[in-house]
């Protein structure tokens, strides 16, 4: 039988858990599982070609005993010459704050620390010591709670950053270009082998007595249920592992189907996820349940949502407005109009909109007043134009003098909407406009003198509109992009609406381009020669900005190929569309590429140019998709590693569109599906 270290090595290779280069965070409690994992990874450190960083959390639940364990872990790391981060968190206070049990609060605190350290040191992965018996316990625990296939898949060997960061329950954790994975190298190793390994290696683990606390269901499953099942099947842990693997395949299929619907199904906001009622009704029950569980996890739910809670939540949808269903972990479902609803943390209402944080404010012109969620109500004088949405209005400056007052709704407020049938109660107008009930009391109302002149997103008062070209008072809500759809309000389409998300901001791009320019300058200034060869058309924006960031004389030329066409997948067939005009023999050349996907195009170009005998040939790429690589390409200067998503902007296109976006965005699936 293979040694435990060999089993870990095989697991790391099978799932490509660790790549050479960036460090790996190792979670070490001081118990046998984590000591075993740390020792095995130290033995494999030369093969892995990466540094290790130990992390330990003192939960402050066992006083001096826990402090001694923290000291033991720190001493162990020091003996291995490994950096170590040890922190303490009052888990009992966290449990009270988040309405969690101690196990769930401890898990939240641990993942929060692991995520923060991983981002701080630029780690590629976080390794935890979950093993085969833990997997069996997890499957049984979820089975007892009535979880679906997502719960019965148990723990996975590798979890992407976008998913496991939700375990930390901290929306402030931003990864930028970092995407540390969560890895479990011991997941196929039973507890008995781990204990035997610790004995063989002379390891002296610390034992946490709380692991035997029978108040917790997991402990009772470990002590009572698993021994009975083992008597029936000595290989029960392996059998439950196979069950988990089968459920994982089904869950992965459901996740892929849900991905197709997700972008048009929900609008995500801080502490809430709003569901579109019509699109919800079009989903089969299996995808409805998966969507609820995903939203619950994204909001930092305490654990996998059980089937009883899922069914209870689904039953409430479409049955009235404002109905609230409390779910575990401080998450609630609140119903809205047209069968819509929201999952949220706290008391935020289900819809989306604007809120004034105080009862009344003065709006000077020009000027702004701050609203909640980072928005603002702004005012300025300019010639009237056609409003682009209901969050934008041009008022007749002669009948609407400044300064204006922005305030909350008051009892008895009335307004005559333009085109309306007389004065009506503002309460009734807001109900008809389907402003969520919980928003109405703090919705900003714009008043001139004693007259309500504009209710953002709802309507303008009779006689207040300015004619196009007339001097006007322009009012608008800053920061409402993408919200109009959630409010059921149509507006002029923008190319920005075709983005599922912004992956890399314009500011991040320019900062990285400046750094690349400085690095290339330092490398090539001593040589006195530099020729940038841009790969058209995608490199255009990047190459121009890069050239301006290089502080030395240089030459530029361009070459053009094609391997995409109107699809989102590289065909692998490279066509040369334009060759160089410059003789590169004896020149120092840097190929400038927008994105490296499969690498086939660049491999072809590199070979093509090397045959022309340049003095040197290096590669500078703005973006790199390592998961898509089919050809081994050396990248000398790199902007960002990105996940396998179809991106556009800053020179990158789809069907010759979106090159002029100032950022790198992920294109909505509906865009390229509609042209397929």
């Amino acid at each position: 039988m293979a040694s435990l270290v060999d089993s870990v090595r095989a697991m790391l290779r099978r799932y490509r858990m660790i790549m050479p280069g960036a460090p790996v965070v190792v979670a070490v409690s001081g118990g046998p599982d984590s000591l075993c994992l740390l020792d095995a990874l130290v033995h494999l450190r030369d093969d892995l070609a990466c540094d290790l960083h130990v992390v330990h959390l003192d939960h402050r639940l066992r006083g001096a005993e826990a402090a001694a364990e923290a000291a033991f872990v720190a001493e162990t790391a020091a003996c291995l010459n490994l950096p170590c981060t040890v922190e303490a968190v009052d888990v009992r206070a966290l449990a009270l704050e988040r309405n969690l049990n101690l196990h769930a609060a401890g898990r939240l605190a641990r993942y929060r620390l692991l995520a923060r350290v991983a981002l701080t040191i630029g780690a590629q992965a976080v390794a935890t010591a979950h093993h085969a018996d833990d997997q069996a316990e997890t499957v049984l625990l979820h089975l007892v709670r009535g979880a679906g296939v997502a719960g019965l898949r148990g723990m996975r060997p590798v979890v992407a950053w976008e998913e496991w960061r939700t375990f930390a329950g901290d929306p402030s954790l931003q990864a930028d270009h970092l995407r540390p994975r969560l890895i479990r190298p011991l997941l196929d190793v039973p507890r008995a082998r781990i204990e035997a390994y610790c004995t063989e290696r002379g390891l002296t683990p610390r034992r946490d007595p709380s692991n035997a606390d029978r108040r917790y269901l997991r402990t009772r499953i470990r002590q009572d249920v698993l021994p009975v099942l083992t008597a029936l099947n000595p290989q029960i842990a392996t059998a439950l592992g196979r069950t988990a693997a089968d459920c994982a395949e089904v869950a992965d299929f459901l996740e892929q189907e849900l991905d197709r619907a997700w972008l048009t199904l929900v609008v995500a906001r801080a502490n809430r996820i709003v569901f579109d009622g019509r699109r919800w009704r079009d989903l089969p029950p299996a995808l409805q349940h998966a969507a609820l569980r995903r939203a619950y996890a994204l909001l930092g739910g305490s654990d996998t949502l059980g089937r009883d809670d899922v069914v209870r939540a689904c039953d409430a949808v479409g049955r009235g407005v404002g109905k609230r269903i409390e779910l575990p972990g401080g998450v609630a479902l609140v119903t809205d109009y047209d069968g819509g609803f929201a999952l949220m943390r706290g008391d935020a209402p289900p819809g989306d909109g604007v809120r004034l944080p105080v009862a009344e404010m003065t709006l000077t012109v020009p000027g702004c007043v701050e609203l909640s969620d980072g928005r603002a109500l702004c005012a300025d004088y300019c010639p009237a134009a056609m409003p682009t949405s209901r969050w934008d209005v041009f008022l007749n400056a002669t009948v609407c003098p400044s300064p204006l007052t922005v305030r909350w709704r008051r009892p008895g407020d009335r307004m005559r909407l333009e085109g309306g049938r007389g004065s009506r109660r503002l309460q009734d107008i807001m109900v008809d406009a389907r402003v969520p009930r919980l928003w109405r009391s703090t919705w900003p109302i714009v008043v001139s003198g004693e007259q309500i002149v504009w209710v953002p997103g709802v309507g303008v008062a009779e006689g207040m509109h300015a004619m196009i070209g007339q001097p006007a008072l322009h009012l608008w809500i800053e920061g409402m992009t993408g919200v109009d759809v959630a409010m059921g309000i149509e507006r002029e389409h923008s190319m920005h609406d075709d983005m599922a998300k912004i992956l890399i901001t314009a500011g991040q791009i320019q900062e990285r381009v400046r750094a690349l320019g400085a690095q290339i300058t330092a490398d090539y200034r001593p040589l006195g020669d530099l020729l940038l060869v841009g790969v058209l058309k995608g490199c255009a924006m990047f190459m121009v900005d890069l050239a301006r960031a290089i502080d030395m004389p240089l030459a530029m030329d361009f070459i053009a190929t094609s391997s995409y066409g109107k699809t989102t997948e590289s065909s692998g067939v490279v066509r040369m569309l334009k060759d160089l005009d410059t003789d590169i023999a004896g020149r120092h050349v840097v190929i400038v590429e927008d994105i490296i996907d499969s690498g086939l195009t660049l491999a072809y170009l590199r070979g093509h140019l090397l045959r022309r005998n340049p003095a040197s040939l290096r590669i500078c790429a703005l973006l790199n998709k390592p998961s898509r690589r089919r050809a081994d390409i050396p990248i000398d200067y790199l902007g960002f590693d990105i996940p396998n998503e179809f991106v556009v902007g800053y020179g990158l296109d789809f069907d010759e569109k979106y090159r002029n976006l100032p950022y790198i965005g992920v294109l909505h699936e509906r865009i390229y599906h509609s042209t397929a």
Side-chain angles (χ1 to χ4, degrees):
M1 183 173 65
S3 71
L4 186 143
V5 171
D6 289 336
S7 296
V8 171
R9 179 188 287 111
M11 190 76 159
L12 294 172
R13 288 176 176 172
R14 186 190 324 160
Y15 293 101
R16 301 187 66 185
M17 290 181 173
I18 298 176
M19 298 292 109
V24 172
V25 169
V26 187
V28 180
S29 67
D33 310 336
S34 60
L35 276 189
C36 168
L37 173 63
L38 179 62
D39 190 77
L41 291 178
V42 168
H43 270 73
L44 295 170
R45 183 164 44 175
D46 290 341
D47 292 345
L48 299 176
C50 69
D51 294 328
L52 305 176
H53 186 111
V54 175
V55 172
H56 175 86
L57 179 71
D58 176 358
H59 297 65
R60 288 185 177 171
L61 293 174
R62 294 182 291 113
E65 185 180 18
E69 288 174 1
F72 167 72
V73 171
E75 181 181 350
T76 300
C79 291
L80 296 171
N81 292 318
L82 297 178
C84 181
T85 299
V86 176
E87 290 192 8
V89 171
D90 188 342
V91 168
R92 199 177 305 278
L94 180 62
L96 291 173
E97 174 191 335
R98 298 295 294 268
N99 191 28
L100 302 173
N101 63 41
L102 286 179
H103 267 193
R107 177 178 183 266
L108 177 67
R110 288 192 298 275
Y111 279 115
R112 184 176 291 177
L113 174 60
L114 291 170
R116 181 160 50 80
V117 173
L119 296 182
T120 299
I121 69 170
Q124 60 171 303
V126 171
T128 64
H130 297 105
H131 49 71
D133 290 71
D134 289 330
Q135 179 76 306
E137 293 169 11
T138 299
V139 172
L140 290 173
L141 183 67
H142 290 169
L143 181 64
V144 168
R145 290 176 174 170
V149 291
L152 295 181
R153 68 183 172 181
M155 297 176 288
R156 285 156 291 161
V158 179
V159 182
W161 163 255
E162 287 75 14
E163 183 174 351
W164 84 265
R165 71 186 291 264
T166 64
F167 301 170
D170 185 356
S172 67
L173 290 169
Q174 298 297 327
D176 293 328
H177 64 284
L178 293 174
R179 297 289 188 274
R181 301 176 299 282
L182 179 68
I183 62 174
R184 298 178 172 116
L186 295 179
L187 200 56
D188 285 346
V189 180
R191 180 181 286 116
R193 285 187 66 192
I194 291 172
E195 294 283 359
Y197 180 88
C198 289
T199 301
E200 293 168 6
R201 295 284 301 154
L203 304 178
T204 55
R206 301 300 189 258
R207 307 282 175 169
D208 182 352
S210 66
N211 288 333
D213 191 337
R214 292 182 58 82
R215 289 176 297 175
Y216 300 113
L217 179 58
R218 180 180 285 272
T219 303
R220 298 197 297 275
I221 287 174
R222 181 186 308 128
Q223 295 179 351
D224 301 340
V225 178
L226 268 175
V228 173
L229 294 177
T230 301
L232 297 174
N233 178 3
Q235 300 300 317
I236 187 62
T238 302
L240 289 172
R242 289 196 300 268
T243 297
D246 289 343
C247 288
E249 292 178 358
V250 176
D252 288 344
F253 172 75
L254 287 175
E255 288 294 315
Q256 292 169 13
E257 291 300 304
L258 181 57
D259 285 341
R260 298 177 185 273
W262 188 254
L263 295 177
T264 56
L265 176 65
V266 303
V267 174
R269 293 286 177 252
N271 294 323
R272 68 188 186 282
I273 297 176
V274 184
F275 283 76
D276 180 279
R278 181 179 61 81
R279 290 186 170 88
W280 167 265
R281 290 191 294 272
D282 290 339
L283 294 179
L287 286 184
Q288 289 181 342
H289 296 176
L292 278 177
R293 288 190 169 104
R294 176 183 289 188
Y296 180 79
L298 289 172
L299 291 170
S302 59
D303 210 335
T304 302
L305 196 61
R307 182 174 177 82
D308 287 346
D309 289 316
V310 170
V311 171
R312 186 163 56 92
C314 287
D315 286 346
V317 174
R319 300 188 178 183
V321 176
K323 186 173 182 179
R324 185 180 179 98
I325 303 296
E326 299 294 339
L327 299 173
V331 176
L333 180 147
V334 179
T335 60
D336 200 7
Y337 293 99
D338 292 335
F341 63 95
L343 256 65
M344 63 192 67
R345 181 174 292 283
D347 296 324
D352 207 336
V354 288
R355 290 177 293 163
L356 186 66
V358 295
E360 184 174 312
M361 298 181 73
T362 298
L363 174 59
T364 58
V365 184
C368 294
V369 296
E370 292 187 8
L371 305 176
S372 300
D373 299 324
R375 300 181 180 122
L377 197 163
C378 302
D380 202 355
Y381 291 112
C382 65
M386 182 65 69
T388 58
S389 75
R390 294 193 186 179
W391 309 106
D392 179 27
V393 68
F394 293 87
L395 301 179
N396 188 330
T398 60
V399 298
C400 184
S402 63
L404 303 173
T405 299
V406 185
R407 62 169 174 81
W408 292 344
R409 189 187 64 187
R410 295 173 181 170
D413 273 344
R414 301 183 69 86
M415 179 184 184
R416 178 169 180 165
L417 288 173
E418 185 162 68
R421 296 175 294 176
S423 177
R424 300 175 60 208
R425 291 195 313 158
L426 185 56
Q427 158 76 10
D428 297 336
I429 292 173
M430 298 180 85
V431 169
D432 289 348
R434 296 189 172 182
V435 175
R437 179 175 56 83
L438 293 176
W439 285 121
R440 295 172 201 157
S441 62
T442 57
W443 197 271
I445 310 299
V446 181
V447 178
S448 177
E450 296 298 321
Q451 182 181 5
I452 297 174
V453 296
W454 186 45
V455 181
V458 176
V460 63
E462 183 75 31
M464 288 294 165
H465 259 310
M467 302 292 290
I468 293 178
Q470 177 184 7
L473 176 58
H474 183 202
L475 303 179
W476 72 96
I477 303 293
E478 190 74 40
M480 292 301 290
T481 301
V483 175
D484 300 351
V485 175
M487 289 295 295
I489 296 170
E490 296 183 1
R491 61 181 174 85
E492 184 178 320
H493 181 79
S494 164
M495 65 177 176
H496 303 282
D497 299 330
D498 295 339
M499 300 302 111
K501 61 182 177 181
I502 296 176
L503 191 63
I504 306 171
T505 67
Q508 291 170 328
I509 292 172
Q510 294 307 317
E511 181 180 356
R512 186 62 187 141
V513 168
R514 287 192 293 271
L516 290 173
Q519 185 180 354
I520 293 172
T521 301
D523 291 346
Y524 283 86
R525 182 179 281 156
L527 302 176
D529 176 52
L530 174 59
L531 171 63
L532 299 183
V533 172
V535 183
L536 293 173
K537 301 175 188 174
C539 79
M541 277 68 164
F542 176 43
M543 181 148 162
V544 169
D545 286 347
L546 179 66
R548 290 188 296 191
I550 297 173
D551 187 17
M552 64 170 287
L554 58 81
M556 296 192 298
D557 202 344
F558 297 92
I559 198 166
T561 64
S562 176
S563 64
Y564 274 87
K566 293 187 177 182
T567 72
T568 64
E569 296 285 331
S570 176
S571 65
V573 178
V574 181
R575 293 186 297 129
M576 181 71 73
L577 303 179
K578 178 196 177 298
D579 208 338
L580 294 177
D581 298 320
T582 307
D583 181 2
I584 66 171
R587 302 290 303 273
H588 293 286
V589 178
V590 173
I591 300 174
V592 180
E593 177 69 292
D594 55 350
I595 184 169
I596 303 178
D597 192 297
S598 67
L600 296 175
T601 300
L602 203 52
Y604 169 82
L605 279 179
R606 184 170 179 270
H608 180 73
L609 296 181
L610 283 173
R611 288 191 290 273
R612 301 183 184 187
N613 300 315
S616 66
L617 182 67
R618 292 185 178 181
I619 294 171
C620 178
L622 175 65
L623 304 176
N624 177 44
K625 287 185 181 179
S627 65
R628 296 275 298 162
R629 189 72 74 253
R630 293 169 59 190
D632 188 17
I633 297 293
I635 307 174
D636 302 284
Y637 306 101
L638 176 62
F640 305 92
D641 279 324
I642 63 170
N644 184 24
E645 297 181 283
F646 193 77
V647 293
V648 294
Y650 197 62
L652 285 81
D653 78 300
F654 172 67
D655 196 17
E656 293 300 326
K657 301 182 181 71
Y658 309 107
R659 293 189 192 275
N660 57 322
L661 288 170
Y663 51 76
I664 301 296
V666 176
L667 193 64
H668 267 302
E669 285 189 45
R670 57 179 167 80
I671 304 301
Y672 49 83
H673 283 166
S674 67
T675 61

